[in-house]
Amino acid sequence: MVFFSTQLQALPYSVMDSYSFSMGGTGVASGTRGNAIFYNPALLAASEMPQNYSLHAPVLGARFYDRNKVLEELDKYQYLGLEANFDEALTAYSTDVGALQDVADATSSLGQQLLTLAGDPMQREYFGAVVLGIPHQRLGISLTLNTRVVGGAEVNVVQNDLDELQRILTATREVNLSQAEAFRSNDLESRLLGRGLVISEVGLALAQDMDVFGHEISVGVTPKYRQVTSFDYASELNSADFEIDLGEKDHSAFDVDIGAAKHYGNGWSTGVAIKNLIGQEYNTVRGNTIKIGPQVRLGAAHSTPYTRVAVDLDVNESRSTGFDSNSRYIAVGAELNVFDMTRVRIGYRHNMSDTNTSIATFGMGFDVYGAELDLAAGANEDELGYSAQLGFEF
């Protein structure tokens, strides 16, 4: 843990399955058959886990963070045709000095909107998975096929653009703007920058109970093959949008997750897991490097027939793939079992590195004759996330 306690560039630990998402993103000591492969593979062999096969398909989730309404303001920029208005005003002024005020108005509007676009980046995350779980004390097994999109975008407003627009605006006020003004919208250097990863994985988790100095401990390992497509681009503002198929570059690699869990027989359990133990670096088409490094998380949970509470803690700080802020989470969650058919869950995920991305979560689970439906949502003032999954036990 000391070795991994430095800052690493990595994906946020939590995935977006409905069960854990509704409980704040906890799962290292409280995971289920459907998500143990994502949080701690050792839980597949844990002695308190019901010995049932399970299939969770589909598992879907999405997250949106846009504190400064980047895409909304960009849509406004394009809808108002600010660049076209600026060019048209200058063209009209080249033959009619009476159009000077139109140049001033168009220049002012364009400069003000550029300043509005400069701010915090927006972030996007999407998740989809199929999970087959076969828990057993001797050898628990789980297989997953999943795809995750993590990335973001920001408007890079170049100071030279603002300086040129201010120069033109000042010249209009002093009535000394040349009618042969050469600066046009196609000279703007400001761009929408987008960057992130599309990650598709095939993972096989194996877990077993072991006797360690007289204590029964569950250990697990998840070797996985990862196909990655990085995207990295710079688009002109007049036609830009957040895309995941621009500036693509394909990569592939093997990696592994490991974990351990201990059940104490009194409702308490603890766990530790390390994801992406090997780690990888991906060089994008624009020369940026995105790293997925090891992530260490500790967890503890307490369960009764009617309740469950859990807490998880990231040991190391991570930086995500696009323009996201740093993340180091402490997550707490609770579940209430109502008549074995309905479960109500609440949670809170606090980002110790950036409190603006801390969220409260809520969810419900329904279990009818082995069929499970789980729904979850999380939000703060600037962020919204939601998840849904369908599962079967047999």
PDB file of all heavy atoms in Angstrom, residues 352-387:
ATOM      1  N   MET A 352     -12.233  13.452  -1.959  1.00  0.00           N
ATOM      2  CA  MET A 352     -11.345  14.236  -1.105  1.00  0.00           C
ATOM      3  C   MET A 352     -10.424  15.139  -1.904  1.00  0.00           C
ATOM      4  O   MET A 352      -9.811  16.056  -1.351  1.00  0.00           O
ATOM      5  CB  MET A 352     -10.528  13.292  -0.215  1.00  0.00           C
ATOM      6  CG  MET A 352     -11.380  12.532   0.787  1.00  0.00           C
ATOM      7  SD  MET A 352     -10.416  11.386   1.821  1.00  0.00           S
ATOM      8  CE  MET A 352     -10.117  10.057   0.632  1.00  0.00           C
ATOM      9  N   SER A 353     -10.309  14.900  -3.204  1.00  0.00           N
ATOM     10  CA  SER A 353      -9.459  15.734  -4.056  1.00  0.00           C
ATOM     11  C   SER A 353     -10.222  16.875  -4.715  1.00  0.00           C
ATOM     12  O   SER A 353      -9.624  17.875  -5.113  1.00  0.00           O
ATOM     13  CB  SER A 353      -8.801  14.873  -5.147  1.00  0.00           C
ATOM     14  OG  SER A 353      -7.979  13.880  -4.580  1.00  0.00           O
ATOM     15  N   ASP A 354     -11.527  16.738  -4.864  1.00  0.00           N
ATOM     16  CA  ASP A 354     -12.348  17.767  -5.503  1.00  0.00           C
ATOM     17  C   ASP A 354     -13.770  17.610  -5.004  1.00  0.00           C
ATOM     18  O   ASP A 354     -14.550  16.807  -5.530  1.00  0.00           O
ATOM     19  CB  ASP A 354     -12.293  17.637  -7.021  1.00  0.00           C
ATOM     20  CG  ASP A 354     -13.121  18.696  -7.743  1.00  0.00           C
ATOM     21  OD1 ASP A 354     -13.656  19.596  -7.055  1.00  0.00           O
ATOM     22  OD2 ASP A 354     -13.255  18.632  -8.969  1.00  0.00           O
ATOM     23  N   THR A 355     -14.137  18.386  -4.007  1.00  0.00           N
ATOM     24  CA  THR A 355     -15.448  18.216  -3.379  1.00  0.00           C
ATOM     25  C   THR A 355     -16.599  18.546  -4.319  1.00  0.00           C
ATOM     26  O   THR A 355     -17.738  18.136  -4.069  1.00  0.00           O
ATOM     27  CB  THR A 355     -15.557  19.092  -2.118  1.00  0.00           C
ATOM     28  OG1 THR A 355     -15.325  20.468  -2.480  1.00  0.00           O
ATOM     29  CG2 THR A 355     -14.528  18.671  -1.078  1.00  0.00           C
ATOM     30  N   ASN A 356     -16.324  19.264  -5.426  1.00  0.00           N
ATOM     31  CA  ASN A 356     -17.396  19.588  -6.371  1.00  0.00           C
ATOM     32  C   ASN A 356     -17.963  18.348  -7.046  1.00  0.00           C
ATOM     33  O   ASN A 356     -19.078  18.384  -7.584  1.00  0.00           O
ATOM     34  CB  ASN A 356     -16.888  20.554  -7.439  1.00  0.00           C
ATOM     35  CG  ASN A 356     -16.628  21.945  -6.886  1.00  0.00           C
ATOM     36  OD1 ASN A 356     -17.375  22.421  -6.039  1.00  0.00           O
ATOM     37  ND2 ASN A 356     -15.576  22.581  -7.350  1.00  0.00           N
ATOM     38  N   THR A 357     -17.192  17.266  -7.073  1.00  0.00           N
ATOM     39  CA  THR A 357     -17.659  16.036  -7.717  1.00  0.00           C
ATOM     40  C   THR A 357     -18.126  14.992  -6.701  1.00  0.00           C
ATOM     41  O   THR A 357     -18.289  13.830  -7.048  1.00  0.00           O
ATOM     42  CB  THR A 357     -16.552  15.440  -8.608  1.00  0.00           C
ATOM     43  OG1 THR A 357     -15.382  15.205  -7.813  1.00  0.00           O
ATOM     44  CG2 THR A 357     -16.193  16.395  -9.729  1.00  0.00           C
ATOM     45  N   SER A 358     -18.347  15.386  -5.460  1.00  0.00           N
ATOM     46  CA  SER A 358     -18.960  14.488  -4.480  1.00  0.00           C
ATOM     47  C   SER A 358     -20.457  14.413  -4.743  1.00  0.00           C
ATOM     48  O   SER A 358     -21.085  15.421  -5.079  1.00  0.00           O
ATOM     49  CB  SER A 358     -18.711  15.003  -3.055  1.00  0.00           C
ATOM     50  OG  SER A 358     -17.327  15.096  -2.782  1.00  0.00           O
ATOM     51  N   ILE A 359     -21.044  13.213  -4.621  1.00  0.00           N
ATOM     52  CA  ILE A 359     -22.465  13.060  -4.934  1.00  0.00           C
ATOM     53  C   ILE A 359     -23.177  12.214  -3.895  1.00  0.00           C
ATOM     54  O   ILE A 359     -22.580  11.341  -3.256  1.00  0.00           O
ATOM     55  CB  ILE A 359     -22.691  12.436  -6.325  1.00  0.00           C
ATOM     56  CG1 ILE A 359     -22.118  11.022  -6.399  1.00  0.00           C
ATOM     57  CG2 ILE A 359     -22.120  13.314  -7.421  1.00  0.00           C
ATOM     58  CD1 ILE A 359     -22.512  10.292  -7.664  1.00  0.00           C
ATOM     59  N   ALA A 360     -24.466  12.498  -3.718  1.00  0.00           N
ATOM     60  CA  ALA A 360     -25.353  11.652  -2.927  1.00  0.00           C
ATOM     61  C   ALA A 360     -26.057  10.694  -3.878  1.00  0.00           C
ATOM     62  O   ALA A 360     -26.362  11.043  -5.022  1.00  0.00           O
ATOM     63  CB  ALA A 360     -26.373  12.507  -2.184  1.00  0.00           C
ATOM     64  N   THR A 361     -26.304   9.475  -3.424  1.00  0.00           N
ATOM     65  CA  THR A 361     -26.896   8.451  -4.281  1.00  0.00           C
ATOM     66  C   THR A 361     -28.097   7.802  -3.611  1.00  0.00           C
ATOM     67  O   THR A 361     -28.233   7.792  -2.383  1.00  0.00           O
ATOM     68  CB  THR A 361     -25.867   7.365  -4.637  1.00  0.00           C
ATOM     69  OG1 THR A 361     -25.419   6.712  -3.424  1.00  0.00           O
ATOM     70  CG2 THR A 361     -24.670   7.966  -5.354  1.00  0.00           C
ATOM     71  N   PHE A 362     -28.946   7.238  -4.446  1.00  0.00           N
ATOM     72  CA  PHE A 362     -30.157   6.566  -3.966  1.00  0.00           C
ATOM     73  C   PHE A 362     -30.523   5.473  -4.962  1.00  0.00           C
ATOM     74  O   PHE A 362     -30.284   5.613  -6.169  1.00  0.00           O
ATOM     75  CB  PHE A 362     -31.314   7.563  -3.842  1.00  0.00           C
ATOM     76  CG  PHE A 362     -32.642   6.925  -3.537  1.00  0.00           C
ATOM     77  CD1 PHE A 362     -32.959   6.553  -2.242  1.00  0.00           C
ATOM     78  CD2 PHE A 362     -33.557   6.673  -4.548  1.00  0.00           C
ATOM     79  CE1 PHE A 362     -34.179   5.951  -1.959  1.00  0.00           C
ATOM     80  CE2 PHE A 362     -34.780   6.079  -4.284  1.00  0.00           C
ATOM     81  CZ  PHE A 362     -35.086   5.717  -2.977  1.00  0.00           C
ATOM     82  N   GLY A 363     -31.097   4.393  -4.457  1.00  0.00           N
ATOM     83  CA  GLY A 363     -31.520   3.336  -5.366  1.00  0.00           C
ATOM     84  C   GLY A 363     -32.473   2.360  -4.710  1.00  0.00           C
ATOM     85  O   GLY A 363     -32.650   2.357  -3.488  1.00  0.00           O
ATOM     86  N   MET A 364     -33.061   1.523  -5.552  1.00  0.00           N
ATOM     87  CA  MET A 364     -33.967   0.481  -5.076  1.00  0.00           C
ATOM     88  C   MET A 364     -33.708  -0.795  -5.856  1.00  0.00           C
ATOM     89  O   MET A 364     -33.329  -0.765  -7.028  1.00  0.00           O
ATOM     90  CB  MET A 364     -35.427   0.905  -5.243  1.00  0.00           C
ATOM     91  CG  MET A 364     -35.817   2.133  -4.441  1.00  0.00           C
ATOM     92  SD  MET A 364     -37.601   2.460  -4.466  1.00  0.00           S
ATOM     93  CE  MET A 364     -38.212   1.082  -3.469  1.00  0.00           C
ATOM     94  N   GLY A 365     -33.902  -1.915  -5.183  1.00  0.00           N
ATOM     95  CA  GLY A 365     -33.772  -3.209  -5.818  1.00  0.00           C
ATOM     96  C   GLY A 365     -35.026  -4.034  -5.582  1.00  0.00           C
ATOM     97  O   GLY A 365     -35.617  -4.001  -4.502  1.00  0.00           O
ATOM     98  N   PHE A 366     -35.435  -4.775  -6.610  1.00  0.00           N
ATOM     99  CA  PHE A 366     -36.640  -5.595  -6.533  1.00  0.00           C
ATOM    100  C   PHE A 366     -36.270  -7.033  -6.893  1.00  0.00           C
ATOM    101  O   PHE A 366     -35.611  -7.272  -7.910  1.00  0.00           O
ATOM    102  CB  PHE A 366     -37.713  -5.063  -7.479  1.00  0.00           C
ATOM    103  CG  PHE A 366     -38.031  -3.614  -7.275  1.00  0.00           C
ATOM    104  CD1 PHE A 366     -37.386  -2.629  -8.025  1.00  0.00           C
ATOM    105  CD2 PHE A 366     -38.959  -3.225  -6.328  1.00  0.00           C
ATOM    106  CE1 PHE A 366     -37.666  -1.295  -7.839  1.00  0.00           C
ATOM    107  CE2 PHE A 366     -39.257  -1.880  -6.132  1.00  0.00           C
ATOM    108  CZ  PHE A 366     -38.610  -0.908  -6.889  1.00  0.00           C
ATOM    109  N   ASP A 367     -36.701  -7.968  -6.074  1.00  0.00           N
ATOM    110  CA  ASP A 367     -36.357  -9.382  -6.255  1.00  0.00           C
ATOM    111  C   ASP A 367     -37.648 -10.195  -6.237  1.00  0.00           C
ATOM    112  O   ASP A 367     -38.332 -10.277  -5.210  1.00  0.00           O
ATOM    113  CB  ASP A 367     -35.423  -9.836  -5.134  1.00  0.00           C
ATOM    114  CG  ASP A 367     -34.881 -11.244  -5.356  1.00  0.00           C
ATOM    115  OD1 ASP A 367     -35.447 -11.966  -6.192  1.00  0.00           O
ATOM    116  OD2 ASP A 367     -33.914 -11.618  -4.681  1.00  0.00           O
ATOM    117  N   VAL A 368     -37.975 -10.783  -7.387  1.00  0.00           N
ATOM    118  CA  VAL A 368     -39.198 -11.576  -7.503  1.00  0.00           C
ATOM    119  C   VAL A 368     -38.855 -12.911  -8.136  1.00  0.00           C
ATOM    120  O   VAL A 368     -38.512 -12.977  -9.327  1.00  0.00           O
ATOM    121  CB  VAL A 368     -40.265 -10.844  -8.344  1.00  0.00           C
ATOM    122  CG1 VAL A 368     -41.532 -11.691  -8.434  1.00  0.00           C
ATOM    123  CG2 VAL A 368     -40.562  -9.472  -7.758  1.00  0.00           C
ATOM    124  N   TYR A 369     -38.887 -13.973  -7.341  1.00  0.00           N
ATOM    125  CA  TYR A 369     -38.643 -15.333  -7.823  1.00  0.00           C
ATOM    126  C   TYR A 369     -37.338 -15.444  -8.618  1.00  0.00           C
ATOM    127  O   TYR A 369     -37.297 -16.032  -9.709  1.00  0.00           O
ATOM    128  CB  TYR A 369     -39.818 -15.823  -8.671  1.00  0.00           C
ATOM    129  CG  TYR A 369     -41.129 -15.842  -7.919  1.00  0.00           C
ATOM    130  CD1 TYR A 369     -42.156 -14.972  -8.266  1.00  0.00           C
ATOM    131  CD2 TYR A 369     -41.330 -16.728  -6.853  1.00  0.00           C
ATOM    132  CE1 TYR A 369     -43.364 -14.976  -7.577  1.00  0.00           C
ATOM    133  CE2 TYR A 369     -42.535 -16.741  -6.152  1.00  0.00           C
ATOM    134  CZ  TYR A 369     -43.542 -15.871  -6.522  1.00  0.00           C
ATOM    135  OH  TYR A 369     -44.731 -15.874  -5.832  1.00  0.00           O
ATOM    136  N   GLY A 370     -36.289 -14.859  -8.061  1.00  0.00           N
ATOM    137  CA  GLY A 370     -34.980 -14.984  -8.684  1.00  0.00           C
ATOM    138  C   GLY A 370     -34.664 -13.966  -9.745  1.00  0.00           C
ATOM    139  O   GLY A 370     -33.530 -13.889 -10.223  1.00  0.00           O
ATOM    140  N   ALA A 371     -35.645 -13.157 -10.132  1.00  0.00           N
ATOM    141  CA  ALA A 371     -35.395 -12.072 -11.081  1.00  0.00           C
ATOM    142  C   ALA A 371     -35.170 -10.778 -10.304  1.00  0.00           C
ATOM    143  O   ALA A 371     -35.929 -10.454  -9.382  1.00  0.00           O
ATOM    144  CB  ALA A 371     -36.573 -11.904 -12.033  1.00  0.00           C
ATOM    145  N   GLU A 372     -34.113 -10.048 -10.649  1.00  0.00           N
ATOM    146  CA  GLU A 372     -33.742  -8.844  -9.916  1.00  0.00           C
ATOM    147  C   GLU A 372     -33.715  -7.637 -10.851  1.00  0.00           C
ATOM    148  O   GLU A 372     -33.184  -7.713 -11.959  1.00  0.00           O
ATOM    149  CB  GLU A 372     -32.354  -9.009  -9.284  1.00  0.00           C
ATOM    150  CG  GLU A 372     -32.247 -10.192  -8.334  1.00  0.00           C
ATOM    151  CD  GLU A 372     -30.816 -10.422  -7.877  1.00  0.00           C
ATOM    152  OE1 GLU A 372     -29.904  -9.755  -8.428  1.00  0.00           O
ATOM    153  OE2 GLU A 372     -30.606 -11.251  -6.987  1.00  0.00           O
ATOM    154  N   LEU A 373     -34.273  -6.542 -10.387  1.00  0.00           N
ATOM    155  CA  LEU A 373     -34.191  -5.275 -11.085  1.00  0.00           C
ATOM    156  C   LEU A 373     -33.652  -4.240 -10.112  1.00  0.00           C
ATOM    157  O   LEU A 373     -34.217  -4.040  -9.035  1.00  0.00           O
ATOM    158  CB  LEU A 373     -35.567  -4.830 -11.592  1.00  0.00           C
ATOM    159  CG  LEU A 373     -35.618  -3.434 -12.229  1.00  0.00           C
ATOM    160  CD1 LEU A 373     -34.756  -3.378 -13.491  1.00  0.00           C
ATOM    161  CD2 LEU A 373     -37.061  -3.037 -12.541  1.00  0.00           C
ATOM    162  N   ASP A 374     -32.551  -3.613 -10.480  1.00  0.00           N
ATOM    163  CA  ASP A 374     -31.933  -2.610  -9.632  1.00  0.00           C
ATOM    164  C   ASP A 374     -31.859  -1.288 -10.387  1.00  0.00           C
ATOM    165  O   ASP A 374     -31.451  -1.239 -11.558  1.00  0.00           O
ATOM    166  CB  ASP A 374     -30.521  -3.043  -9.227  1.00  0.00           C
ATOM    167  CG  ASP A 374     -30.535  -4.261  -8.313  1.00  0.00           C
ATOM    168  OD1 ASP A 374     -30.830  -4.085  -7.119  1.00  0.00           O
ATOM    169  OD2 ASP A 374     -30.262  -5.368  -8.802  1.00  0.00           O
ATOM    170  N   LEU A 375     -32.231  -0.213  -9.697  1.00  0.00           N
ATOM    171  CA  LEU A 375     -32.203   1.125 -10.256  1.00  0.00           C
ATOM    172  C   LEU A 375     -31.453   2.037  -9.296  1.00  0.00           C
ATOM    173  O   LEU A 375     -31.556   1.891  -8.078  1.00  0.00           O
ATOM    174  CB  LEU A 375     -33.616   1.663 -10.469  1.00  0.00           C
ATOM    175  CG  LEU A 375     -34.551   0.795 -11.328  1.00  0.00           C
ATOM    176  CD1 LEU A 375     -35.973   1.339 -11.271  1.00  0.00           C
ATOM    177  CD2 LEU A 375     -34.056   0.743 -12.768  1.00  0.00           C
ATOM    178  N   ALA A 376     -30.705   2.990  -9.845  1.00  0.00           N
ATOM    179  CA  ALA A 376     -29.923   3.880  -8.992  1.00  0.00           C
ATOM    180  C   ALA A 376     -29.762   5.229  -9.668  1.00  0.00           C
ATOM    181  O   ALA A 376     -29.781   5.341 -10.899  1.00  0.00           O
ATOM    182  CB  ALA A 376     -28.554   3.282  -8.696  1.00  0.00           C
ATOM    183  N   ALA A 377     -29.580   6.256  -8.835  1.00  0.00           N
ATOM    184  CA  ALA A 377     -29.310   7.605  -9.345  1.00  0.00           C
ATOM    185  C   ALA A 377     -28.444   8.331  -8.336  1.00  0.00           C
ATOM    186  O   ALA A 377     -28.472   8.047  -7.135  1.00  0.00           O
ATOM    187  CB  ALA A 377     -30.612   8.370  -9.577  1.00  0.00           C
ATOM    188  N   GLY A 378     -27.652   9.252  -8.836  1.00  0.00           N
ATOM    189  CA  GLY A 378     -26.810  10.073  -7.976  1.00  0.00           C
ATOM    190  C   GLY A 378     -26.704  11.459  -8.565  1.00  0.00           C
ATOM    191  O   GLY A 378     -26.740  11.637  -9.789  1.00  0.00           O
ATOM    192  N   ALA A 379     -26.570  12.469  -7.694  1.00  0.00           N
ATOM    193  CA  ALA A 379     -26.545  13.824  -8.220  1.00  0.00           C
ATOM    194  C   ALA A 379     -25.940  14.788  -7.214  1.00  0.00           C
ATOM    195  O   ALA A 379     -25.921  14.539  -6.002  1.00  0.00           O
ATOM    196  CB  ALA A 379     -27.962  14.281  -8.582  1.00  0.00           C
ATOM    197  N   ASN A 380     -25.420  15.889  -7.746  1.00  0.00           N
ATOM    198  CA  ASN A 380     -25.158  17.094  -6.980  1.00  0.00           C
ATOM    199  C   ASN A 380     -25.584  18.272  -7.850  1.00  0.00           C
ATOM    200  O   ASN A 380     -26.269  18.080  -8.862  1.00  0.00           O
ATOM    201  CB  ASN A 380     -23.692  17.183  -6.533  1.00  0.00           C
ATOM    202  CG  ASN A 380     -22.717  17.248  -7.698  1.00  0.00           C
ATOM    203  OD1 ASN A 380     -23.065  17.677  -8.804  1.00  0.00           O
ATOM    204  ND2 ASN A 380     -21.490  16.826  -7.476  1.00  0.00           N
ATOM    205  N   GLU A 381     -25.182  19.469  -7.500  1.00  0.00           N
ATOM    206  CA  GLU A 381     -25.647  20.644  -8.240  1.00  0.00           C
ATOM    207  C   GLU A 381     -25.214  20.635  -9.697  1.00  0.00           C
ATOM    208  O   GLU A 381     -25.923  21.155 -10.567  1.00  0.00           O
ATOM    209  CB  GLU A 381     -25.114  21.903  -7.557  1.00  0.00           C
ATOM    210  CG  GLU A 381     -25.611  23.204  -8.163  1.00  0.00           C
ATOM    211  CD  GLU A 381     -25.098  24.422  -7.414  1.00  0.00           C
ATOM    212  OE1 GLU A 381     -24.470  24.239  -6.358  1.00  0.00           O
ATOM    213  OE2 GLU A 381     -25.328  25.545  -7.896  1.00  0.00           O
ATOM    214  N   ASP A 382     -24.065  19.998  -9.990  1.00  0.00           N
ATOM    215  CA  ASP A 382     -23.505  20.047 -11.335  1.00  0.00           C
ATOM    216  C   ASP A 382     -23.399  18.694 -12.010  1.00  0.00           C
ATOM    217  O   ASP A 382     -22.946  18.609 -13.154  1.00  0.00           O
ATOM    218  CB  ASP A 382     -22.093  20.664 -11.292  1.00  0.00           C
ATOM    219  CG  ASP A 382     -22.077  22.010 -10.602  1.00  0.00           C
ATOM    220  OD1 ASP A 382     -22.852  22.891 -11.013  1.00  0.00           O
ATOM    221  OD2 ASP A 382     -21.307  22.178  -9.636  1.00  0.00           O
ATOM    222  N   GLU A 383     -23.782  17.637 -11.343  1.00  0.00           N
ATOM    223  CA  GLU A 383     -23.541  16.294 -11.860  1.00  0.00           C
ATOM    224  C   GLU A 383     -24.787  15.429 -11.738  1.00  0.00           C
ATOM    225  O   GLU A 383     -25.565  15.560 -10.781  1.00  0.00           O
ATOM    226  CB  GLU A 383     -22.389  15.643 -11.085  1.00  0.00           C
ATOM    227  CG  GLU A 383     -22.029  14.239 -11.549  1.00  0.00           C
ATOM    228  CD  GLU A 383     -20.792  13.696 -10.845  1.00  0.00           C
ATOM    229  OE1 GLU A 383     -20.022  14.498 -10.289  1.00  0.00           O
ATOM    230  OE2 GLU A 383     -20.599  12.472 -10.854  1.00  0.00           O
ATOM    231  N   LEU A 384     -24.958  14.535 -12.698  1.00  0.00           N
ATOM    232  CA  LEU A 384     -26.065  13.578 -12.676  1.00  0.00           C
ATOM    233  C   LEU A 384     -25.555  12.234 -13.159  1.00  0.00           C
ATOM    234  O   LEU A 384     -24.855  12.143 -14.167  1.00  0.00           O
ATOM    235  CB  LEU A 384     -27.203  14.060 -13.582  1.00  0.00           C
ATOM    236  CG  LEU A 384     -28.379  13.080 -13.768  1.00  0.00           C
ATOM    237  CD1 LEU A 384     -29.093  12.857 -12.442  1.00  0.00           C
ATOM    238  CD2 LEU A 384     -29.346  13.591 -14.834  1.00  0.00           C
ATOM    239  N   GLY A 385     -25.900  11.188 -12.422  1.00  0.00           N
ATOM    240  CA  GLY A 385     -25.562   9.835 -12.836  1.00  0.00           C
ATOM    241  C   GLY A 385     -26.732   8.913 -12.579  1.00  0.00           C
ATOM    242  O   GLY A 385     -27.525   9.129 -11.659  1.00  0.00           O
ATOM    243  N   TYR A 386     -26.852   7.888 -13.401  1.00  0.00           N
ATOM    244  CA  TYR A 386     -27.925   6.925 -13.185  1.00  0.00           C
ATOM    245  C   TYR A 386     -27.499   5.567 -13.714  1.00  0.00           C
ATOM    246  O   TYR A 386     -26.597   5.449 -14.552  1.00  0.00           O
ATOM    247  CB  TYR A 386     -29.235   7.384 -13.825  1.00  0.00           C
ATOM    248  CG  TYR A 386     -29.117   7.805 -15.267  1.00  0.00           C
ATOM    249  CD1 TYR A 386     -29.173   6.881 -16.308  1.00  0.00           C
ATOM    250  CD2 TYR A 386     -28.955   9.143 -15.591  1.00  0.00           C
ATOM    251  CE1 TYR A 386     -29.065   7.271 -17.621  1.00  0.00           C
ATOM    252  CE2 TYR A 386     -28.849   9.561 -16.907  1.00  0.00           C
ATOM    253  CZ  TYR A 386     -28.903   8.612 -17.923  1.00  0.00           C
ATOM    254  OH  TYR A 386     -28.788   9.013 -19.234  1.00  0.00           O
ATOM    255  N   SER A 387     -28.153   4.526 -13.214  1.00  0.00           N
ATOM    256  CA  SER A 387     -27.771   3.163 -13.584  1.00  0.00           C
ATOM    257  C   SER A 387     -28.983   2.247 -13.439  1.00  0.00           C
ATOM    258  O   SER A 387     -29.869   2.485 -12.614  1.00  0.00           O
ATOM    259  CB  SER A 387     -26.634   2.679 -12.669  1.00  0.00           C
ATOM    260  OG  SER A 387     -26.279   1.349 -12.970  1.00  0.00           O
TER     261      SER A 387
END
